[in-house]
Every structure is written in C-alpha cells, then in structure tokens.
Amino acid sequence: MEKVSDADLSREAATAADGGGGGGDKESEMDVDDLVLELLVTVETVQSFSDYRRTQRKECHNLIRRMKLAVPLLEEIRDLEIPVPDDVCARLYRLRTAFTAAKKLLRCCHDGSKIYLALESEAVMNRFHFVNEKLTQAVDGMPYDGLCISDEAKEQLELMCSQLKRAKGRTDTQDMELAMDLMVLLSQKEEDRNANSCILERLAKKLDLHSLPDLGAEAMAIKMLIKERSGQNIESTQQIISLLSKFKQNAGIEDCDGLNEIMLPKYLEKCPSLMIPNDFLCPISLEIMTDPVIIATGQTYERSSIQKWLDAGHRNCPKTRQPLAHLSLAPNYALRNVISQWCMKNKVELMKKDSLVNSKPKDHKEEIETLVQDLSSLHLDVQRKAVKRIRMLSKENPENRILIAKCGGVPSLVSLLSYPDSKIQENTVTALLNLSIDETNKQLITKAGAIPPIIGVLKGGTMEARENSAAALFSLSMLDENKVLIGDLNGIPPLIDLLQNGTLTGKKDATIALFNLCLNSMNKTRAIKAGIVKPLLQVLDDKQLAMIDEALSIILLLSTQSDGRAEIGELSYIEKLVGYIRDGAPKTKECALSVLLELCTHKPSFLLVSLQFGVYEHLCEVAESGTQRAQRKANSLLQLMRKTGQIL
C-alpha cells in the first residue's frame, strides 16, 4: 500500500486548517459575535452528520464529543455584555481554524470514499492528530481573567483539554485483519485467486460495500477524490480503483474497465462547477438519467441500473428498502423531458446507454436442480460431470451460489468429500470453497459437517485439492466459532505442512488461512507447538513467494505468546528483523518494528541482541524519516533502550 509522505500530509493539514480561504486580514475584521456564532454553527453542523465510515467511526464520535465541550463557554461569551479581551479573541480565532479543519475531516469520514479511508487509514489518523493538536493550542490555558465565565463552563473546557491530552498520548491500534486483507488483495496476482473472493466478501461486509446503491455511492466518492487529487498520488488512486472493480465483481456487477468507469463524466469535465438537480440523478449510479423509469414504490431510477438490481434477485426498492408489489417499470416521460430541456440549456451531452445492459443473465435453476440430483447418482461418470459443472456454476455469480444451496447441494457435496476418486474430491472441495463466499452458505457448510472431511482432503488430497482446502478453511474460519473448531479438529498442522512443502499457490493459501486462525488465542499456541515458526522463516527467505509482510503479521500475532517469543527470539529471526528495518519497504519496516517491539517489551535481553546487529542506527533513521506508524514504533524501541540502560 502506498503511504502518504510527510510533505503530502503537511500540505493536506495546511489545506484543512486554511478551510479554503480566509487570511489574517479577514479574521481581524470579523465581529466577535459573528465569530462565536460561526463556531456554534460549526458544532451544530457536525452533529447533524448522521453516520460515519466504520473505519473512523470511533475517532469521529470522540472528536465531536470534544468539540461539544466548548459549547457552554461559547454560549456564555456570546451572552457577555462586556467587550471580549484581545487574548481571548486570539484563542477564538485559533479555535475557528481547528473547527474548520475538524469539519472538513468529519465531512470526509462521513461521505468520503470508504476504500480510501481504509487504505489510507494511517494518513487519515494523522489528520485527527493534527486537528487534536490545533484544538489543544486553542483551548489549553484559556485566559478567563476579566470574563464572568461560570465554573461549569470552565470545567467543561478543562475536561476537553484533558481528553485531548489523553488522545495525544494514546497509541493507535491497527485493525490487523483489515490491514492483512488489503495487503493480500493488492499483492496477489490475478491467477492467485483461491482466497480472494473470501477476503473480498469479508471486506465488503466490513466496509458496507455490498449493494448496488453502496457501490454507486462509492464510485461517485472516488470520482470526487480523483478530481481533488488533480493527478497526485497516482499509485494510491490506481489501487483504490482496482479495489472498487473487485468489489463490483464480487457483487456480480460487470465492470469491463474500472478505470474508465471511474473517470469523471464528460459533462463534469467540461464544467466541474455545474450544479445538477438531485432529481436528475439515478439513486443507484448517481449519473444523470437518460431513460428514467418508475418502480412500484414510486421511486425513479435509470432503467439499466434498476434492471441490474432486479436481475440480481432483489425484490425491494434500493432507496426505501420497501418490498416491491410488482416488478413493472413505467417510463417517466415527464422527468425525461425536463432532463432533456435542462441538458440543452446547459449544453450537456449525455452518453447513450448500451442496449446490451438490459439483457438478463441466464437462469440456471432447472440445470442446478438436475445437477444436485446427479451428485447422488450411482454412476461415477454422472457424479464426476455433475460436480465439475457445479464447481463452474458456483464460480460464476452470487445467484448461482445461493441457488445451489437452496436446491440442497451443500449436504450432497459434503458427502462426496471422502470419496476415493481424486477428481471428484478436488472438484467438490473447490465447489464448496466457491459456495462459502456467501455468508449464509458458510453456516450451511459448517452445519453439514464439512470441516473434518475438508481437513482430510488437506492432509491427503491432490496438490490442487489441498490448496483449495486451505482456501476453504480460510473462508469458513471467518466465522469465529469455526476458528475454534478447525483448531480443535487438528486442522493447523496440515496447513503448516502445506506452508512448508506446497506450491507457491499452496503456500499463499496456507499463509492466509494460518493468519486468520491465529487471531484466536488458543490457535496461536497450537500453531507454535505444531512448528510454525521455522516454516515462517522460510517464507521470509522465499523471494519468489513475496509474502514477507504477511509472514511478519503472523509472527507478530505469535509474539504475544511467551512460547512464541522464545522461538522467534532466536538469533536468525532477530537478524532478519534488523535487516528489514534497514532495507525493507515502508510496510515491511512497520511490521518488523512491531515484532521487535513486542519481543523487547517482554524480554529486554532481545534489545542487546538487536543492538549487536546494528539496529540503533536504523532506528534513528526510521524515527527521523519513516512513516508515522514506523516512527512511533522506532521511538518506542529507543525509549525502551534508554529505560533499560542499553543506550544513553
């Protein structure tokens, strides 16, 4: 993942603080009453934001709560009948700068791109630190002399100061699961797709990017982000576009060229300030409608967009969520005429929609019903053909996965897992992997008793069957109860064997599955006892595998256990960590620093070993020029060295 440089962050913070204009001359001319009113309105405005993106929700609520603590003081200043001293006015102007930056940040976390906010979570967190610092500078030591301010208002402001100071000293906790999922999706090639769909499903759920309206709104947010960036941060933008394309494919939406689709519409490129009436925009695509139609709830949509929604099996209104009494689409001629007149007046030329988008996907219901019956056939050839075809259909789209399960395909497939025919076994476990992408199917597959035979295939199947078994266990382990079950059923040792002796694809699938399982504390101990540490060292050395960050993430999880630290603390591992701190990519340095800090915090003797490998010089360099997270880790290690007397 691309990291925002300190210079970029400084520019972004400066822009936020500036608020889009307003120099010192304008501030000096501003009436104090107007200034206080503006501050109160800002607090009221940010309180009106209904919800925030899940990745920053906690920080947003904390920030608003702190801003509200200033309201009693502002209200009392507003009601004063005496002039406000100059030093208090200066503090209010500082508070205005901080509130403006806070409002811009909260707006970004309210309606900005969910993918951007997840991918650039560290840069966004730095913006929160910046805003908190500005708020502290404005309110800490507020001069009350000469003001008749109540004790209650002072107490609220003092509480605000203490909360801001605690926030400054608090260490950010990274969402390990989210970071790992993004890392895997962005690092894997197209051919390495065993676990991708499962990861996408988890991310889509975590980021609320499942439905057509959600994805349409995300596309519009990304368009605005691209426009704001003006050609900067190209690599990050490409990653965001790539992830959106993957989310669309996961939702069963065709996306031939994600980059072209995300580019700003021609009518906005020519006139970016053009104000388009909201009624002209389709609630799903957020584009101007060329063929508006009315559905049963009375809402209007672009025909192609609502048809895709209905073809995906939805039977409710995307906007109101009301059930649809019928599926008829009535042309909205009146609105189409109004849009046409507006376009002529504003010289807006709309692209004509491809008539092919209205074509319905093929219905496989009858074929699937027959195939499920054939799974129980007495003829081996019939079973082979049926399970192979189900494997292909389950890969195509979400509707097929749901339909196969509804037709009773899951129990029939599970019964074939222990079949002695290697091809049937291989196609069966792959079909179950595909079906498990659906959240409901995960539970059905588990209830059908699939996990023990999947572990059996992982132990003794063909290499492809073993790879797909590992990916299937990864997918099923997204349910927390299955993490425990897989560990109890001794599923970790064969995964470690695949990690050590499998193909490149097998090693990747095993790595991802083991990371997910080791999120459970009991499984960490099981993995350590099963000998995971040595194979992880081999993964670190395997340049062709290119999964250093993923392996370090597992090592970080294991280093929270005393028996894990004992094995990881061997000289070969410490030397590796120091090497990554010296020469690794930014993300690799962060991972290596996190592991070393965890080791040294619990056992200071590791500090001496790392110093012998020359870590001190590299820590100083990272503390000076590394990413924000890396700098914090490096500084923590340096403080630990001073505290234990390893350095002066």
Side-chain angles (χ1 to χ4, degrees):
M1 278 173 271
E2 181 187 341
K3 297 295 177 185
V4 177
S5 69
D6 293 340
D8 289 338
L9 186 62
S10 298
R11 286 195 296 271
E12 191 171 19
T15 304
D18 186 52
D25 291 340
K26 288 185 180 179
E27 286 184 348
S28 62
E29 295 171 4
M30 193 174 194
D31 185 84
V32 174
D33 291 339
D34 292 338
L35 175 58
V36 172
L37 179 61
E38 181 183 325
L39 292 169
L40 290 169
V41 169
T42 301
V43 176
E44 190 175 334
T45 300
V46 298
Q47 283 183 264
S48 70
F49 295 163
S50 56
D51 199 7
Y52 293 96
R53 304 312 194 205
R54 191 173 297 184
T55 44
Q56 282 80 28
R57 190 171 294 163
K58 180 181 176 182
E59 287 300 326
C60 289
H61 289 311
N62 286 342
L63 178 55
I64 290 175
R65 187 172 64 250
R66 292 164 195 147
M67 292 173 71
K68 285 166 61 179
L69 291 172
V71 169
L73 174 70
L74 295 172
E75 288 177 340
E76 291 193 17
I77 291 176
R78 178 193 60 191
D79 297 335
L80 286 175
E81 295 181 359
I82 58 173
V84 178
D86 290 344
D87 52 355
V88 176
C89 287
R91 291 302 189 100
L92 293 178
Y93 285 128
R94 283 189 183 183
L95 193 60
R96 177 180 181 241
T97 299
F99 273 21
T100 302
K103 180 180 173 183
K104 185 173 182 179
L105 176 56
L106 290 167
R107 171 65 72 183
C108 175
C109 295
H110 175 260
D111 51 25
S113 162
K114 296 173 182 177
I115 298 173
Y116 158 76
L117 290 168
L119 195 62
E120 302 284 2
S121 59
E122 184 180 327
V124 177
M125 185 57 67
N126 287 334
R127 290 178 64 182
F128 277 102
H129 290 317
F130 170 83
V131 169
N132 286 339
E133 183 62 31
K134 288 294 177 186
L135 287 170
T136 302
Q137 292 172 5
V139 299
D140 192 20
M142 176 71 74
Y144 299 114
D145 296 340
L147 294 177
C148 299
I149 301 298
S150 68
D151 290 339
E152 289 78 8
K154 292 178 182 178
E155 287 171 3
Q156 291 292 296
L157 205 66
E158 287 166 7
L159 177 60
M160 180 182 179
C161 290
S162 62
Q163 288 185 2
L164 286 167
K165 287 174 182 176
R166 279 201 302 272
K168 184 178 181 180
R170 194 176 297 131
T171 304
D172 304 330
T173 55
Q174 188 181 23
D175 186 334
M176 287 286 292
E177 192 175 79
L178 177 66
M180 183 73 165
D181 287 347
L182 288 169
M183 189 192 306
V184 170
L185 282 180
L186 291 171
S187 65
Q188 283 197 328
K189 298 175 183 177
E190 282 301 307
E191 58 267 25
D192 303 328
R193 298 183 65 180
N194 277 2
N196 275 13
S197 296
C198 309
I199 296 172
L200 273 170
E201 185 68 23
R202 176 158 70 184
L203 274 176
K205 185 177 180 182
K206 186 170 280 192
L207 300 180
D208 296 320
L209 288 173
H210 268 296
S211 68
L212 279 170
D214 288 338
L215 290 165
E218 178 66 13
M220 181 58 75
I222 293 173
K223 288 177 185 178
M224 297 310 297
L225 177 68
I226 293 170
K227 183 181 172 185
E228 289 170 8
R229 284 185 162 183
S230 303
Q232 301 296 314
N233 303 95
I234 295 173
E235 185 181 345
S236 168
T237 301
Q238 292 285 9
Q239 289 177 338
I240 291 168
I241 292 168
S242 172
L243 286 170
L244 177 64
S245 180
K246 290 176 188 288
F247 282 122
K248 287 188 173 184
Q249 291 168 14
N250 181 62
I253 304 170
E254 290 187 12
D255 187 12
C256 300
D257 189 341
L259 181 58
N260 288 339
E261 186 167 323
I262 294 302
M263 290 175 68
L264 285 172
K266 295 294 182 185
Y267 51 81
L268 283 183
E269 286 179 357
K270 292 178 181 178
C271 187
S273 61
L274 189 64
M275 296 298 293
I276 306 166
N278 284 334
D279 291 342
F280 293 4
L281 302 176
C282 171
I284 294 175
S285 67
L286 297 179
E287 298 282 2
I288 296 179
M289 292 181 279
T290 59
D291 187 10
V293 293
I294 304 170
I295 63 172
T297 57
Q299 299 292 326
T300 298
Y301 297 89
E302 174 65 33
R303 182 185 294 276
S304 60
S305 297
I306 192 62
Q307 192 63 60
K308 279 186 180 179
W309 173 263
L310 298 174
D311 289 344
H314 300 288
R315 294 297 177 263
N316 61 341
C317 173
K319 191 172 183 180
T320 67
R321 301 296 179 183
Q322 292 175 282
L324 298 175
H326 58 80
L327 304 182
S328 301
L329 304 177
N332 192 335
Y333 293 117
L335 180 59
R336 186 161 70 181
N337 289 336
V338 173
I339 291 174
S340 178
Q341 292 170 11
W342 181 87
C343 289
M344 289 177 63
K345 180 181 177 182
N346 291 279
K347 297 179 181 179
V348 171
E349 186 178 348
L350 298 178
M351 297 281 289
K352 290 189 176 181
K353 303 290 181 183
D354 190 340
S355 59
L356 291 176
V357 296
N358 293 327
S359 59
K360 290 190 176 184
K362 186 178 178 182
D363 189 354
H364 293 288
K365 188 173 187 298
E366 290 184 10
E367 181 188 5
I368 287 172
E369 288 174 344
T370 303
L371 288 169
V372 170
Q373 291 175 5
D374 289 346
L375 291 176
S376 304
S377 173
L378 297 174
H379 302 285
L380 189 62
D381 253 6
V382 174
Q383 286 182 310
R384 278 179 178 163
K385 289 178 181 177
V387 74
K388 185 176 182 181
R389 179 62 179 152
I390 284 179
R391 171 182 176 173
M392 299 306 296
L393 289 172
S394 64
K395 186 180 179 182
E396 282 184 8
N397 57 57
E399 292 73 34
N400 286 351
R401 292 192 276 273
I402 293 169
L403 197 52
I404 291 167
K406 281 185 177 178
C407 291
V410 171
S412 300
L413 287 167
V414 172
S415 67
L416 293 177
L417 280 171
S418 52
Y419 213 80
D421 185 277
S422 62
K423 267 297 168 190
I424 286 181
Q425 199 178 70
E426 186 178 297
N427 286 325
T428 299
V429 77
T430 308
L432 286 168
L433 163 62
N434 295 336
L435 291 175
S436 71
I437 294 168
D438 181 85
E439 198 69 21
T440 304
N441 286 352
K442 282 184 176 67
Q443 297 173 347
L444 291 174
I445 292 168
T446 304
K447 287 178 182 177
I451 290 179
I454 288 175
I455 293 173
V457 176
L458 177 63
K459 290 177 179 178
T462 64
M463 185 51 73
E464 184 178 346
R466 292 178 66 198
E467 292 166 2
N468 290 340
S469 296
L473 290 177
F474 163 73
S475 176
L476 294 172
S477 69
M478 289 183 183
L479 300 178
D480 288 339
E481 58 268 28
N482 283 347
K483 290 183 177 72
V484 178
L485 183 58
I486 293 167
D488 288 342
L489 292 171
N490 214 25
I492 290 175
L495 283 170
I496 294 173
D497 181 66
L498 185 64
L499 176 67
Q500 192 161 17
N501 304 309
T503 62
L504 283 177
T505 300
K507 289 179 179 180
K508 289 180 179 180
D509 290 331
T511 301
I512 299 165
L514 285 165
F515 170 83
N516 217 39
L517 290 169
C518 287
L519 291 170
N520 174 270
S521 182
M522 291 174 64
N523 285 340
K524 294 177 190 177
T525 303
R526 292 185 175 112
I528 294 163
K529 287 181 179 178
I532 191 176
V533 176
K534 185 178 177 182
L536 285 174
L537 186 58
Q538 294 172 353
V539 172
L540 294 176
D541 289 332
D542 194 335
K543 293 182 180 179
Q544 191 178 4
L545 188 60
M547 293 195 78
I548 293 172
D549 294 347
E550 291 86 342
L552 286 173
S553 296
I554 298 176
I555 292 169
L556 177 59
L557 291 174
L558 300 177
S559 66
T560 60
Q561 306 286 104
S562 58
D563 45 354
R565 289 192 294 273
E567 291 197 42
I568 296 165
E570 292 180 0
L571 291 180
S572 55
Y573 261 110
I574 299 293
E575 187 176 10
K576 282 279 179 196
L577 293 174
V578 174
Y580 291 135
I581 294 168
R582 180 186 66 233
D583 300 323
K587 183 63 183 176
T588 305
K589 287 185 179 184
E590 290 178 13
C591 293
L593 283 162
S594 297
V595 174
L596 188 60
L597 179 59
E598 186 69 32
L599 292 173
C600 295
T601 300
H602 290 90
K603 194 172 181 181
S605 60
F606 290 143
L607 283 172
L608 182 59
V609 176
S610 62
L611 282 168
Q612 290 171 350
F613 287 119
V615 76
Y616 177 73
E617 180 184 340
H618 312 315
L619 289 177
C620 293
E621 185 179 337
V622 173
E624 182 69 28
S625 59
T627 65
Q628 291 291 322
R629 187 176 297 277
Q631 285 180 357
R632 287 196 293 274
K633 300 293 183 184
N635 282 320
S636 295
L637 277 163
L638 289 169
Q639 287 173 12
L640 192 59
M641 288 176 179
R642 294 187 187 98
K643 186 178 178 181
T644 56
Q646 305 285 356
I647 61 171
L648 297 177

